[in-house]
Amino acid sequence: EASLDTFLEITMSLGLLRSVGSVARRSFPRNLTHANASTLVIAEHDNSTLSPSTLSVVTAASKLGEVDILVAGFNCEAVSSQAAAVAGVGNIITGNDAGLETGLAENFSRAVVAAAKSKGYSHVMAPSSNFTKNYLPRVAIELDSAPMTDVIEILGEDTFVRPMYAGNSLATIKSQDSVKLLSIRTTAFDKCADSGGSAEMEDLVLEGTCDAGLSAFKSASASESERPDLTAASVVVSGGRGMKSGENFGMLEELADKLGGAVGASRAAVDAGYVPNELQVGQTGKVVAPDLYIAVGISGAIQHLSGMKDSKTIVAINKDAEAPIFQVADYGLVQDLFNAVPEISSKV
Amino acid sequence: LESSNLRAIMRVLVGVKRVIDYAVKVRVAGDKSGVELSNVKMSMNPFCEIAVEEAIRLKEKKIATEVIAVSVGPKQAQEQIRTALAMGCDRGVHVTTDLRLDQELQPLAVAKLLKEVVLNEEPDMVILGKQSIDGDCAQTGPMLAALLNWPQGTFASKVTMSDDLSSVEVERETDNGTEVIDLKMPALITADLRLNEPRYATLPNIMKAKKKKIQSIDAASMGVNLEPGYQVTGVNEPAARAAGIKVETVDDLLDKLRNEASCIP
């Protein structure tokens, strides 16, 4: 009986400790380590360079415990080497197969499933991107697990926060699945160091080819730009319908270049054909959180605010003083953008 | 593809979801259980409208012979099916459920329900929106494709059928541009914004749509596990931003950015 009492006492104190731990989590944000958590992070890359977004996911994953990285691709040894240098990573698992070269979802999901099953990971995490949104739901079917999209906070092994309704509600969610699949909103986590690590390298054993034979890659066209990546830039200058034409975006490019920033756009500007879709900031485009976001000729629809309202400082330039963008702007300038933008460029 | 697998006709299934209208500023319920759904304007998810439009265009090009609109949702989701019928779909399938579509009935369960509908209707192509604007998950399409072992063309901005209908070429939006892929039929497509401009239903077509058939099936009868994979334990409003100020001149603005926000040199 005494030992039962002791057992109960220990259990209760553990329970108590746990709840204290979760209440006090903000004091200890970096260490929520649980005994059995081990996370497989899926690297994003182009077969030669590891994407910086992967570093944010490693930060998120390391809040729970051990982290391994899967590099699935073709002739992607350079990426594996870069991943091995990432601080705090245990193992780099390289899946090398011609079927993985272009990231087709039907093929790529096979490698992720094989890697996830290889060591019985409790969590699989990837950066929230079009690339991940393409294959992760297929992985979910193989693992019969409900993926959690765009996670912005990790409260524990099974409890997370994700935005819904264009970021107008933040849901706290508790997963029941044995393998938890998460895509991570990378702007919500700092990037970990890309050097100083010394991860072990191993090869993923693939049974046969990863080519599912359902689809074929034909061509790709990527915008070539010297400017920093939109989702990683510390300054973003975005234009909306008020820019009136694609040519006028040259004005924003000049300002972005002076500030070492990237150029973005509202859906209206994309729909009007002023700029390509991959520049779209918003609920259904990219989510950015730079130090400085300059919204030029953008009214500030709910869908746009969703993609930029976590920016540190927001500037709005719009001749309509009633535009909703002024409600989120730290500094608003009610002026004709065609006068204001060149003047700013000449003075920075 | 074997020619015996080809049909003289091509049937397209298109998914539509009932969501809070995109222009509504949602409010979190007082008990933090979710966003307020009562007395709020509901509409067809904008990406589903694009999916419907694309399916109808395939019919207008004589590539598709029948377009079936399917929706999973409460009895009011009939309105969204009727809208799809008024846009030009031929008939509807309504999978009925009282579970909340934004948090209780999750994409995994919806995909499993849609799989049953696909097995029943045997379409050659399924077109869904890339994501719904309530849950913002972007999962149902690829999940359904995986369940059927079909190829997928997600975030599609252009869809071109091959002449013999054995494959479909999809231009899709990627993180840094676009890519073109080729899918063996049958295939699943999810629509991105740039795929097309959806039409408005005209009054005569709205009247005609009232005569079109909608088949109703109880989700609970379909042998699918509807339990959510994750529970929503609480919903909060995001932190509000501190009120900003208006500045008069470019010089004022630059002064603030340099000396107050310290975000430019």
Side-chain angles (χ1 to χ4, degrees):
Chain A
E1 217 170 81
S3 68
L4 182 64
D5 280 348
T6 315
F7 172 71
L8 285 173
E9 204 174 293
I10 291 170
T11 313
M12 282 173 67
S13 66
L14 278 176
L16 193 65
L17 277 174
R18 276 210 168 187
S19 62
V20 167
S22 66
V23 168
R25 68 190 156 72
R26 283 180 192 281
S27 318
F28 308 100
R30 295 200 62 83
N31 193 1
L32 296 160
T33 307
H34 294 257
N36 298 318
S38 63
T39 300
L40 181 66
V41 168
I42 315 302
E44 218 162 89
H45 63 87
D46 59 0
N47 292 308
S48 60
T49 310
L50 182 71
S51 105
S53 60
T54 310
L55 302 175
S56 299
V57 182
V58 171
T59 300
S62 55
K63 290 177 187 299
L64 291 177
E66 289 173 18
V67 182
D68 290 354
I69 296 181
L70 171 69
V71 178
F74 188 51
N75 295 333
C76 51
E77 294 78 8
V79 183
S80 297
S81 304
Q82 292 159 42
V86 173
V89 175
N91 297 286
I92 305 302
I93 304 167
T94 303
N96 190 47
D97 188 278
L100 300 173
E101 185 173 12
T102 56
L104 289 166
E106 298 80 2
N107 303 355
F108 198 83
S109 56
R110 289 187 167 192
V112 176
V113 169
K117 286 182 173 170
S118 68
K119 290 189 189 164
Y121 291 99
S122 59
H123 298 73
V124 175
M125 297 188 193
S128 193
S129 61
N130 273 17
F131 184 79
T132 296
K133 284 171 184 165
N134 196 34
Y135 75 79
L136 198 65
R138 290 189 85 103
V139 173
I141 292 302
E142 293 301 319
L143 301 178
D144 199 33
S145 168
M148 294 162 274
T149 303
D150 272 339
V151 166
I152 57 170
E153 208 176 333
I154 292 176
L155 301 181
E157 203 172 295
D158 58 1
T159 311
F160 313 96
V161 178
R162 65 173 302 261
M164 293 168 60
Y165 288 97
N168 288 301
S169 82
L170 301 180
T172 302
I173 57 179
K174 192 171 162 68
S175 170
Q176 332 282 328
D177 292 323
S178 55
V179 183
K180 293 160 183 61
L181 302 177
L182 300 92
S183 75
I184 300 294
R185 179 169 286 189
T186 53
T187 53
F189 298 89
D190 292 333
K191 291 178 187 59
C192 69
D194 63 358
S195 61
S198 54
E200 299 280 322
M201 301 283 232
E202 54 184 280
D203 289 326
L204 176 64
V205 179
L206 294 163
E207 285 174 25
T209 171
C210 275
D211 186 354
L214 293 168
S215 56
F217 173 84
K218 297 186 86 171
S219 64
S221 70
S223 319
E224 291 298 328
S225 168
E226 297 294 306
R227 292 185 194 93
D229 180 59
L230 184 55
T231 54
S234 59
V235 177
V236 174
V237 183
S238 278
R241 199 189 294 282
M243 296 305 297
K244 296 208 168 91
S245 76
E247 290 73 49
N248 289 335
F249 266 74
M251 211 189 291
L252 304 188
E253 288 165 5
E254 189 191 338
L255 178 56
D257 289 343
K258 288 211 160 175
L259 296 170
V263 172
S266 70
R267 177 187 161 181
V270 171
D271 275 358
Y274 300 167
V275 290
N277 192 62
E278 66 270 16
L279 296 191
Q280 190 195 325
V281 171
Q283 180 184 20
T284 63
K286 293 199 165 76
V287 177
V288 303
D291 294 333
L292 175 60
Y293 188 89
I294 306 179
V296 183
I298 292 176
S299 64
I302 295 168
Q303 290 74 21
H304 184 73
L305 301 183
S306 159
M308 46 65 81
K309 66 187 168 59
D310 290 327
S311 304
K312 217 170 272 171
T313 301
I314 298 174
V315 170
I317 301 168
N318 203 308
K319 64 181 176 191
D320 174 10
E322 303 303 313
I325 191 77
F326 286 116
Q327 291 164 19
V328 301
D330 299 286
Y331 305 109
L333 181 63
V334 184
Q335 262 189 31
D336 186 338
L337 68 93
F338 294 101
N339 297 327
V341 174
E343 189 184 344
I344 297 172
S345 284
S346 71
K347 289 177 175 174
V348 293
Chain B
L1 204 75
E2 301 273 335
S3 59
S4 60
N5 289 347
L6 290 177
R7 296 170 191 226
I9 57 165
M10 190 172 111
R11 193 179 289 161
V12 178
L13 186 81
V14 61
V16 299
K17 185 176 182 184
R18 176 181 172 86
V19 298
I20 292 185
D21 188 85
Y22 76 95
V24 171
K25 173 90 172 74
V26 299
R27 285 178 298 114
V28 171
D31 65 359
K32 307 285 183 201
S33 62
V35 310
E36 198 63 69
L37 292 181
S38 49
N39 299 318
V40 175
K41 185 185 179 196
M42 306 294 283
S43 299
M44 189 192 297
N45 180 47
F47 293 98
C48 301
E49 288 182 14
I50 298 170
V52 170
E53 176 66 32
E54 195 66 16
I56 296 164
R57 288 186 190 187
L58 286 171
K59 196 178 165 198
E60 288 169 344
K61 288 181 205 154
K62 312 268 186 229
I63 293 170
T65 48
E66 188 181 32
V67 179
I68 307 154
V70 57
S71 189
V72 180
K75 61 178 187 302
Q76 299 92 329
Q78 282 235 355
E79 294 165 19
Q80 279 64 48
I81 298 176
R82 288 282 170 215
T83 304
L85 298 179
M87 286 172 75
C89 294
D90 296 293
R91 61 188 171 88
V93 176
H94 183 189
V95 178
T96 59
T97 174
D98 287 326
L99 294 168
R100 273 183 81 125
L101 300 182
D102 59 347
Q103 55 191 55
E104 287 174 338
L105 189 73
Q106 292 170 357
L108 190 55
V110 174
K112 288 175 181 174
L113 291 170
L114 292 179
K115 180 194 173 189
E116 297 305 313
V117 176
V118 168
L119 294 180
N120 193 35
E121 299 289 347
E122 297 186 309
D124 306 271
M125 178 182 278
V126 175
I127 312 180
L128 305 180
K130 76 163 176 175
Q131 76 184 63
S132 59
I133 61 166
D134 52 358
D136 282 334
C137 290
Q139 295 170 0
T140 306
M143 283 179 166
L144 177 58
L147 285 168
L148 296 164
N149 195 32
W150 286 12
Q152 65 189 46
T154 56
F155 313 129
S157 54
K158 195 174 175 197
V159 173
T160 314
M161 292 299 305
S162 67
D163 289 340
D164 65 358
L165 306 187
S166 67
S167 67
V168 58
E169 189 184 278
V170 179
E171 182 187 277
R172 52 188 304 273
E173 306 281 1
T174 61
D175 291 301
N176 57 357
T178 58
E179 69 178 17
V180 179
I181 57 174
D182 210 42
L183 312 177
K184 282 186 183 171
M185 292 290 282
L188 180 138
I189 312 272
T190 73
D192 211 324
L193 276 177
R194 290 208 301 180
L195 184 58
N196 59 51
E197 179 111 11
R199 70 194 65 190
Y200 290 101
T202 59
L203 188 60
N205 286 340
I206 292 170
M207 299 311 288
K208 269 187 227 159
K210 290 186 177 176
K211 296 204 179 75
K212 294 180 180 175
K213 285 206 171 66
I214 299 178
Q215 181 198 358
S216 200
I217 314 168
D218 182 1
S221 73
M222 294 173 77
V224 167
N225 176 12
L226 303 179
E227 288 293 313
Y230 55 84
Q231 308 279 350
V232 175
T233 58
V235 174
N236 290 289
E237 306 228 4
R241 287 186 76 93
I245 57 164
K246 290 225 171 85
V247 293
E248 294 299 320
T249 65
V250 165
D251 288 328
D252 289 347
L253 175 64
L254 293 176
D255 176 60
K256 296 284 186 197
L257 292 179
R258 287 193 177 106
N259 303 317
E260 199 173 87
S262 307
C263 57
I264 61 168

